[in-house]
Amino acid sequence: MNYEYIGLTTAIFALSFALSFYLITALQWYSYKIERICFHFSKPLWHFYFLLLPSLVFAYSYKLFLLLFLPFCLILFIWHKKLDKKLVFTKKVKLFFVFNGLFVLFFALIIKDVDYRFSILAPFLALFILKIYSFFEARYFYKKAKKKISSMKELQIILITASYGKTSIKNFLYDLLKDDFLAYKTPRSVNTLMGIVQDINENLSSDSEIYIAEAGARKKGDILEITKLLNPQLCIVGEIGSSHLEYFKNKENIRKTKLEALSSKRLQKAFLHSSTKESEDEKKLIYDTRIKEVKASLDGLCFKMSLDEKECEFKASLLGEFNAYNLCACIICARYLGLSVDEIQKRLKNVKQVEHRLQIISKEPKFIIDDGFNGNFSGMSKSYELCKNYEGRRVLVSPGIMEVNDEENIKLAKIINKCFDLAIITSHKNAELFNKELSIEKIILKDKNELVDTLAKVTQNGDLVLFSNDAPNFM
């Protein structure tokens, strides 16, 4: 029996498993975009610990790697156990492991003829094959979705994009339209091209009258791809801000990308926020300038806006001044589709707060607000101002703003100092900045898993606790 060969092949299988598990987990977080985990990964040291270091040890001596494999696996297990966004074994992930296993088997069979160090490439070759497979699979399902959309001649498509507020606008608009139309909206925060393709193929009913789709972007051309697929008749472009500035480099690139939604060949009307810098014409209407007065408190929202050449008042059981502007876009769109002002006013009172967006979890014994999906300066700062007048102690739980420059978080820190008594910072990425900029009592958590125990120790009955921008702990 060739014990050296057995030891070597065991080491190859062990290394490949370790590398592939970490690699596909990181890729799943970033929508399987290799460039994002290479250039926009917030914890690059993890790449060193879980990719580079084991590869170097294996390349130096596979026998040394085998000796260290069990402790390394234990570290990898503990790391994965602590993640709040663990690997989900989707079809794509399973295929990756199948391809990886085939390459490992290939290297094990030819190992006598080549340097064993080449086997390090197995997970990366598997990823390459997965990319090719995914490309052809995506083309097939894209054509299927395009054909389905084209066959639904009476379907009205409303495309919604913005730097922030997309999901809220989508849900509010759906609540206004669902009783008059067979309306359907993309689920949760699905807003990528292939996410929408899958939704059309699997969920969009052939008798739907209105399809409300949310479009997100990380680079130029992302919105254009979705627009070419859907060719919407109506479009809402919400507020343009600095969200994902790390990818777009400047705000002008963000603006141009969002306005790709206006390239639809079937566009009838576009409802635009003034931050788009567009001018009104027959097809374009600037909606936020119609807001006249906004009153926002922890009890709800009341605002006035000009509609049908008169001033109308609207009320909603929603938190946050910014939601008045989100609702404004929905109201104008619903009015364009034929709903009366009276009907809109009635339905607005029943519009529900979107989950994880200034959602009141409880009022007693602690006033707890979940704003975990609000991750931009405009929305976060206004939610902080909303908490300012609370009579009890005010506690903020937040990682700050992710994927922006330091200036945004410095501005945010100044508002936090005015609105809260205690800030608990839950991300290492902005920890140093907030430690310097916050003048109020603060707690910087090294590990987000410590949050539950920390809250139990430092909060008390009567406190207001705002969970703001719940970024996962890999950021």
Side-chain angles (χ1 to χ4, degrees):
M1 185 176 289
N2 191 333
Y3 290 105
E4 186 170 349
Y5 177 74
I6 293 172
L8 183 53
T9 53
T10 302
I12 291 171
F13 274 92
L15 175 75
S16 185
F17 165 77
L19 296 185
S20 60
F21 185 83
Y22 171 76
L23 183 63
I24 200 65
T25 301
L27 281 166
Q28 193 173 74
W29 293 334
Y30 289 87
S31 303
Y32 303 97
K33 304 292 185 183
I34 297 174
E35 66 274 12
R36 289 177 66 188
I37 70 164
C38 289
F39 304 110
H40 301 284
F41 200 74
S42 58
K43 294 190 176 181
L45 274 178
W46 284 1
H47 289 347
F48 174 77
Y49 295 140
F50 298 116
L51 283 179
L52 186 59
L53 189 59
S55 298
L56 289 174
V57 172
F58 178 81
Y60 174 73
S61 169
Y62 74 86
K63 293 178 181 178
L64 178 60
F65 174 79
L66 278 177
L67 287 173
L68 298 175
F69 180 65
L70 286 179
F72 175 74
C73 274
L74 180 61
I75 293 169
L76 188 64
F77 173 78
I78 294 171
W79 167 81
H80 187 258
K81 187 176 177 62
K82 286 186 175 182
L83 294 175
D84 54 7
K85 198 169 183 181
K86 295 178 173 58
L87 178 65
V88 179
F89 282 84
T90 61
K91 175 187 173 184
K92 180 174 281 192
V93 171
K94 291 174 183 176
L95 277 172
F96 170 76
F97 281 112
V98 169
F99 293 145
N100 181 64
L102 291 173
F103 277 111
V104 170
L105 186 60
F106 170 75
F107 281 114
L109 291 173
I110 66 167
I111 204 65
K112 293 179 180 179
D113 303 314
V114 299
D115 193 315
Y116 75 86
R117 296 173 183 86
F118 280 112
S119 59
I120 294 172
L121 297 174
F124 304 98
L125 291 171
L127 189 62
F128 177 71
I129 297 300
L130 182 67
K131 283 284 184 182
I132 295 173
Y133 175 88
S134 298
F135 172 77
F136 286 105
E137 183 184 51
R139 283 187 63 182
Y140 168 76
F141 286 116
Y142 179 93
K143 289 179 179 179
K144 185 178 178 182
K146 185 76 172 175
K147 184 178 180 180
K148 184 175 181 179
I149 287 288
S150 300
S151 69
M152 299 171 69
K153 303 298 182 183
E154 303 303 315
L155 181 67
Q156 286 247 66
I157 299 176
I158 305 171
L159 183 64
I160 299 170
T161 189
S163 291
Y164 23 79
K166 299 182 291 294
T167 305
S168 293
I169 294 172
K170 176 186 70 179
N171 283 279
F172 297 158
L173 183 59
Y174 174 78
D175 283 343
L176 291 179
L177 300 179
K178 64 184 180 181
D179 292 335
D180 283 85
F181 302 93
L182 288 172
Y184 175 76
K185 60 182 174 67
T186 48
R188 302 176 304 281
S189 295
V190 170
N191 60 23
T192 62
L193 175 66
M194 293 315 299
I196 293 171
V197 164
Q198 183 179 2
D199 186 49
I200 292 169
N201 288 329
E202 296 180 1
N203 304 316
L204 181 63
S205 174
S206 58
D207 61 352
S208 297
E209 296 173 323
I210 288 182
Y211 182 41
I212 308 171
E214 173 186 345
R218 281 292 199 283
K219 66 180 187 300
K220 182 180 177 182
D222 281 355
I223 303 296
L224 183 61
E225 285 183 329
I226 295 171
T227 303
K228 285 181 177 179
L229 168 68
L230 298 176
N231 273 313
Q233 293 94 336
L234 301 178
C235 177
I236 296 175
V237 182
E239 188 173 354
I240 308 297
S242 301
S243 184
H244 306 312
L245 193 64
E246 184 179 346
Y247 297 95
F248 286 102
K249 305 305 179 186
N250 59 65
K251 198 171 175 178
E252 182 60 18
N253 287 338
I254 298 173
R255 187 185 73 86
K256 288 179 179 178
T257 301
K258 299 301 180 184
L259 289 174
E260 291 170 356
L262 303 184
S263 63
S264 171
K265 295 177 181 178
R266 299 190 296 177
L267 187 67
Q268 297 171 2
K269 199 75 174 179
F271 310 102
L272 312 174
H273 191 275
S274 56
S275 58
T276 60
K277 299 181 182 178
E278 292 289 293
S279 301
E280 285 197 357
D281 57 30
E282 289 184 0
K283 285 190 175 182
K284 291 181 283 190
L285 183 149
I286 309 301
Y287 67 82
D288 59 302
T289 56
R290 284 159 169 72
I291 294 275
K292 301 298 181 184
E293 181 184 336
V294 181
K295 294 179 182 177
S297 71
L298 290 173
D299 295 318
L301 189 63
C302 178
F303 61 97
K304 295 177 181 179
M305 60 177 283
S306 58
L307 191 64
D308 296 343
E309 299 182 352
K310 63 180 181 180
E311 190 174 276
C312 302
E313 184 177 85
F314 298 93
K315 295 179 180 179
S317 300
L318 302 175
L319 301 185
E321 179 185 336
F322 55 87
N323 271 326
Y325 296 91
N326 292 335
L327 287 172
C328 179
C330 300
I331 290 166
I332 293 174
C333 183
R335 186 75 188 94
Y336 178 82
L337 289 168
L339 271 69
S340 68
V341 173
D342 287 344
E343 197 59 48
I344 293 171
Q345 287 172 326
K346 289 176 186 175
R347 292 180 188 178
L348 214 58
K349 293 177 182 179
N350 298 317
V351 167
K352 297 178 181 178
Q353 191 81 41
V354 178
E355 193 176 14
H356 306 303
R357 288 171 172 82
L358 279 177
Q359 179 186 14
I360 296 176
I361 303 301
S362 69
K363 290 190 175 182
E364 292 181 350
K366 299 172 186 176
F367 200 128
I368 300 174
I369 303 174
D370 179 2
D371 200 27
F373 282 6
N374 189 356
N376 61 83
F377 175 79
S378 177
M380 292 169 75
S381 60
K382 287 173 183 174
S383 70
Y384 298 173
E385 294 287 352
L386 186 69
C387 299
K388 187 178 179 181
N389 296 321
Y390 182 75
E391 293 182 0
R393 191 172 70 141
R394 303 174 301 276
V395 180
L396 173 69
V397 179
S398 179
I401 313 173
M402 314 305 285
E403 299 177 344
V404 296
N405 52 32
D406 286 349
E407 285 73 18
E408 292 281 291
N409 279 304
I410 291 171
K411 288 192 297 179
L412 194 71
K414 292 177 181 177
I415 297 171
I416 293 172
N417 287 331
K418 292 190 299 180
C419 299
F420 292 93
D421 303 297
L422 167 65
I424 301 173
I425 306 303
T426 59
S427 173
H428 82 288
K429 189 170 185 180
N430 297 320
E432 186 177 342
L433 183 148
F434 281 116
N435 195 38
K436 178 183 177 183
E437 299 294 333
L438 291 178
S439 58
I440 61 171
E441 183 184 356
K442 55 186 174 286
I443 297 172
I444 311 292
L445 296 182
K446 293 181 180 179
D447 188 342
K448 190 180 171 184
N449 292 306
E450 300 170 2
L451 179 59
V452 174
D453 290 338
T454 301
L455 285 170
K457 290 177 183 176
V458 303
T459 61
Q460 55 199 25
N461 291 350
D463 286 353
L464 180 147
V465 182
L466 175 67
F467 291 90
S468 176
N469 191 17
D470 184 24
N473 58 6
F474 63 81
M475 299 191 78

